[in-house]
Every structure is written in C-alpha cells, then in structure tokens.
Amino acid sequence: MVTALDSDTELRRRAWDAAASVVDPEIPVLTIADLGVLRDVALNGTEIEISITPTYSGCPAMNMIALEIELALERAGFHRPKVRTVLSPAWTTDWMSEEGRRKLRAYGIAPPQASSSRRALFGEQAVACPQCGSGETELLSEFGSTSCKALWRCKACREPFDYFKCH
Amino acid sequence: MPVANIQISETPLVLYTLRRADDALILGHRLPEWCGHAPMLEEDMALSNIALDLIGQARELYSYAAKVEGRDNDEDKFAYLRDVRQYRNLLLVEQPNGDFAQTLVRQFFYSAFADLYWRAMMGSRDATLAAIAAKSEKESAYHLRHSSEWIIRLGDGTEESHARAQGAVDHLWAFTGEMFAVDDSERGLIDAGAAVDPASLRDRWLKTVTGVISEATLTLPQNNWMQQGGRAGRHSEHLGHLLSELQSMQRTFPGLTW
C-alpha cells in the first residue's frame, strides 16, 4: 500500500529530477543542480514550489532558468509549478559539485578556486589553464563574457580562457 | 498625455530601502553609458558587468520596498514613474561620467563605501536587508578591486593620466560626505539594529581610500566642505537628464511591456 507520505516523497523526487535537468543557458554543460542554484522542492498540498538562488544579483540568466524550470515541470506532469527565488544564505561557488567542476574544465572553463583569498584587495590568484593544465597563466580582465566569469590567458599554450570567479 | 508619478507612503524603512535602491540603479545606469566607448573592450565589459550587479541589487531593494510599503507599487514603478524630487540617491552616483578617470574615481569612492556598508549590513536585524547585503558584499569586493587597480594605474601612470585622476579626485571629493550622513528617519532604524550607522564606517573608508590614493601618487583635498541634498530629493541638474533617458519608454508608452 502506498501511503500519502510515500507518494509525497515520490512526487518531490520526480519534481526535483525534472528541475535538476535544467541547464544554465550560458554554460549549457552545467545543470542548475551542478551549480548549486537549485535549492529546494516543496509540496504544499497539490502545489509544487521550486526554490532557486541567484549566483549574482544581476545574473540575466535567472529569468530564463525560472522559465525553463516551469517548462520542465509542466512536461513532467506538474501543473502551474511555482518558482521562488531565495537570497539567504547567499550562493557561493563552494556549492558547485565536483561533477560540475569536472564538466566545467572539460568545457574549457577553469573552475572556481577556494574562496579564502577573495577579500584580498590585490590578492594573487593561481588558476590552472583548462586546456593544457599549465599554472603559467595571467589575468586579462576581472570581468569576462558573463557576470560570473573572468578572462584569463595561458602563457604556456597561449590560449585565452574563461575562469569561473570564486564567490 | 503625461504619465502621473506614483505616490509613495514613505515610512522610515521604505525611504531607507529606496535610498539604497536609488544609489544602485543610478550608478548602474551611469556605468553602461561607457559601453562601446571605454578605452578598451575589457572595460566595456567590466563596467557593464558591474552595472548588472548594481541593477540586480536595485531590483531586490525596490521589490522589498514595495513589499514593505504594501501599496500597488513595484520595482518597475519605482524606477520609471518617479520624478527627480522623488529620487533619494547620493549626489555622487548621479554625477556625469566625465572622462575615464572621473568615472573610476566616482566608482572607487562609492565601492570603497559599499564594500564596508554591505558587509556591516549582513548583521542587520531585518532579515531581507541582511540577505540582500550578503549577496551584494561578495560583488562589492570585486568592484572595489577593479576601481582600486585603475586609480593606481591612472594616478601612477603618465603625466596626463595623473593630472586627470587628480582633477577627478578634487572634483568629486565634496560628494563623499553624504555617504556618511544620517537623518532622523534613519536614526530610529539604526537604533533598532535594522540599519548600520554609516558614520561608524568612515574611518575604515578613509583608510582604504588613503591607502590606494597614496599608492597612486595622488593626494586627497584638504577642503572638507561637503555637498548634500540627494537623500532629501535635492539633486544636481544631471539627474533629470539621466531620468529622461531611463524613463522615456514608460513615459511615452505608459504600461509598455517587453
């Protein structure tokens, strides 16, 4: 016999899986679960509510991600899902999964470093080239192709690359 | 037909939140005026990226102000349907971009403050303001590093860049005092632990600013007469021009949606 509790858990799992399949429109190799943007799936009666957290305050991908989640849930059979944005606790790159970091590197983006030195006003950062692995790299611009990335260059293989800023 | 300005119930918390939202929106509008004109492509992107963060902060703050106010205002109405006198931003952030040095000095003075301010606001007893602060302080650290590096590069650069940077410091200095001013409406929020007393941040702000300015071989003006008025809605002539551009679509086609 299936109890109400079991079916609720099952529903939430299905909703989570559907939401977790949504990818970041600007980094399509990462799902929002890899990124740590997907925070919670709650079931209130028959209504399903997905909580997500923005990476950066002004990240323009958030609206797109919210829309994609609604579509993914509708496709999975959930009607009129609600997507809620939560700010606290603030998202940090430490929430990015190991799998996410590996996928980023394979995609040519250097994954974020540990966040301890973020506050240093003129701190030295060591970022390995995602192409050749060399540590001989230099920062070209703190602000790159999207708000979450910086632009770097590898001095060994001469390739420029994106670095996912730690946050 | 002209579009009416919205009415606002300015409780201390609504006013306080609107003031910070206005700072972020106006500076966030100023910076991308450089897009396509900055000295290098990386700066087109950097200044627009910083603006994105600021506009994101403004949206969170406006939405919160609307929720606290409990009327039918929202983030868009606050941005598009208030006139100059209803805006409560610092005079500093509405100052024109001028040359690149002037933009970066304005950014440096503001970022050095915002970085301290948001970090302190993370301890606010107001849970929403604390959450917005926790998000913003991560971004402000990047903004401060960006402008600090430029101040040093410009100040300790060529004769020309040094002169321009010094000119910008001299010109904008009188707009920095307003960041630390408190009026009666904010005093109650500070006493209740919902807001931080900006005056308590001044020494640390001055330490950061002095450090970077001296490394840049620049000097701070000795004149400490400070300009004020933005928080009370008394603005320089520049804000009206900025708003006419920012609001033109909503004023021309009321209720227009994308």
Side-chain angles (χ1 to χ4, degrees):
Chain A
M1 198 179 96
V2 177
T3 64
L5 192 65
D6 286 340
S7 67
D8 276 8
T9 310
E10 172 60 16
L11 272 180
R12 285 182 53 221
R13 193 189 59 77
R14 272 181 43 215
W16 177 279
D17 289 348
S21 69
V22 170
V23 297
D24 182 323
E26 283 170 336
I27 314 170
V29 289
L30 288 190
T31 67
I32 57 171
D34 291 330
L35 272 167
V37 160
L38 180 58
R39 292 284 277 272
D40 190 36
V41 172
L43 190 65
N44 309 314
T46 57
E47 194 176 69
I48 199 92
E49 186 180 76
I50 312 289
S51 297
I52 54 174
T53 195
T55 50
Y56 282 69
S57 298
C59 179
M62 288 309 285
N63 288 349
M64 185 72 184
I65 288 172
L67 189 66
E68 293 281 351
I69 291 173
E70 286 177 26
L71 291 172
L73 283 157
E74 290 275 359
R75 279 197 299 271
F78 296 93
H79 295 297
R80 300 191 168 276
K82 280 175 72 177
V83 180
R84 196 168 69 96
T85 303
V86 289
L87 291 180
S88 181
W91 180 84
T92 154
T93 37
D94 296 344
W95 295 354
M96 192 183 289
S97 66
E98 270 312 310
E99 174 67 3
R101 285 166 204 269
R102 195 190 56 72
K103 285 198 254 181
L104 262 188
R105 204 177 293 114
Y107 189 58
I109 298 173
Q113 307 279 304
S115 54
S116 56
S117 67
R118 182 176 57 82
R119 280 239 147 251
L121 191 51
F122 302 111
E124 290 295 311
Q125 306 173 80
V127 176
C129 171
Q131 312 283 354
C132 73
S134 168
E136 290 294 304
T137 59
E138 62 183 347
L139 174 70
L140 291 181
S141 173
E142 192 95 76
F143 299 89
S145 56
T146 67
S147 49
C148 56
K149 291 188 236 117
L151 185 62
W152 282 64
R153 173 166 55 203
C154 176
K155 290 194 261 189
C157 71
R158 310 301 296 167
E159 285 286 326
F161 65 89
D162 271 336
Y163 163 57
F164 201 109
K165 293 192 276 196
C166 72
H167 207 51
Chain B
M1 200 178 77
V3 186
N5 295 321
I6 55 169
Q7 300 292 315
I8 301 155
S9 310
E10 276 187 353
T11 63
L13 184 56
V14 169
L15 179 59
Y16 184 85
T17 309
L18 284 178
R19 283 171 169 173
R20 274 75 209 168
D22 290 347
D23 289 347
L25 178 70
I26 299 303
L27 189 55
H29 185 85
R30 273 286 182 235
L31 291 175
E33 290 173 2
W34 274 107
C35 196
H37 304 275
M40 54 174 85
L41 180 65
E42 286 78 6
E43 283 308 305
D44 283 348
M45 287 160 66
L47 296 173
S48 304
N49 256 306
I50 292 169
L52 259 184
D53 289 339
L54 291 168
I55 290 168
Q57 292 166 13
R59 292 186 60 186
E60 297 293 349
L61 290 163
Y62 283 135
S63 297
Y64 182 52
K67 195 174 151 208
V68 173
E69 193 193 15
R71 294 169 63 130
D72 65 344
N73 288 327
D74 58 29
E75 51 174 314
D76 285 340
K77 288 184 186 170
F78 282 132
Y80 294 128
L81 300 178
R82 283 182 304 152
D83 212 341
V84 176
R85 295 297 295 253
Q86 293 174 292
Y87 264 81
R88 304 310 180 104
N89 57 278
L90 298 165
L91 296 173
L92 176 68
V93 298
E94 74 196 36
Q95 295 312 302
N97 283 340
D99 59 16
F100 194 64
Q102 211 162 306
T103 296
L104 267 298
V105 169
R106 183 187 64 201
Q107 192 61 28
F108 171 61
F109 284 157
Y110 178 79
S111 298
F113 174 78
D115 188 49
L116 291 168
Y117 172 78
W118 290 122
R119 244 188 299 161
M121 278 297 281
M122 287 168 70
S124 167
R125 290 212 183 129
D126 182 305
T128 307
L129 290 179
I132 294 170
K135 197 90 218 94
S136 306
E137 77 88 30
K138 288 164 181 272
E139 293 153 2
S140 64
Y142 279 100
H143 300 177
L144 176 58
R145 187 156 67 218
H146 168 262
S147 55
S148 299
E149 285 173 354
W150 269 110
I151 298 306
I152 294 167
R153 202 170 295 145
L154 294 170
D156 195 15
T158 65
E159 208 172 297
E160 174 78 13
S161 72
H162 177 91
R164 285 178 181 241
Q166 186 62 58
V169 168
D170 294 345
H171 171 61
L172 292 168
W173 181 245
F175 296 106
T176 58
E178 200 176 27
M179 295 191 285
F180 306 98
V182 174
D183 63 9
D184 288 343
S185 97
E186 297 197 354
R187 183 59 61 194
L189 293 168
I190 292 167
D191 292 343
V196 293
D197 184 351
S200 69
L201 307 173
R202 193 169 190 284
D203 286 351
R204 273 178 291 161
W205 176 83
L206 196 60
K207 190 162 173 262
T208 305
V209 167
T210 309
V212 171
I213 289 285
S214 63
E215 193 175 339
T217 72
L218 298 166
T219 51
L220 290 179
Q222 293 306 305
N223 173 14
N224 278 324
W225 181 83
M226 292 292 165
Q227 187 72 258
Q228 286 192 35
R231 291 293 191 223
R234 295 190 308 275
H235 292 277
S236 56
E237 68 175 285
H238 311 296
L239 185 63
H241 293 280
L242 184 154
L243 291 182
S244 71
E245 185 174 303
L246 181 109
Q247 301 181 336
S248 66
M249 293 301 277
Q250 279 303 320
R251 298 288 189 180
T252 314
F253 304 101
L256 175 84
T257 55
W258 216 241

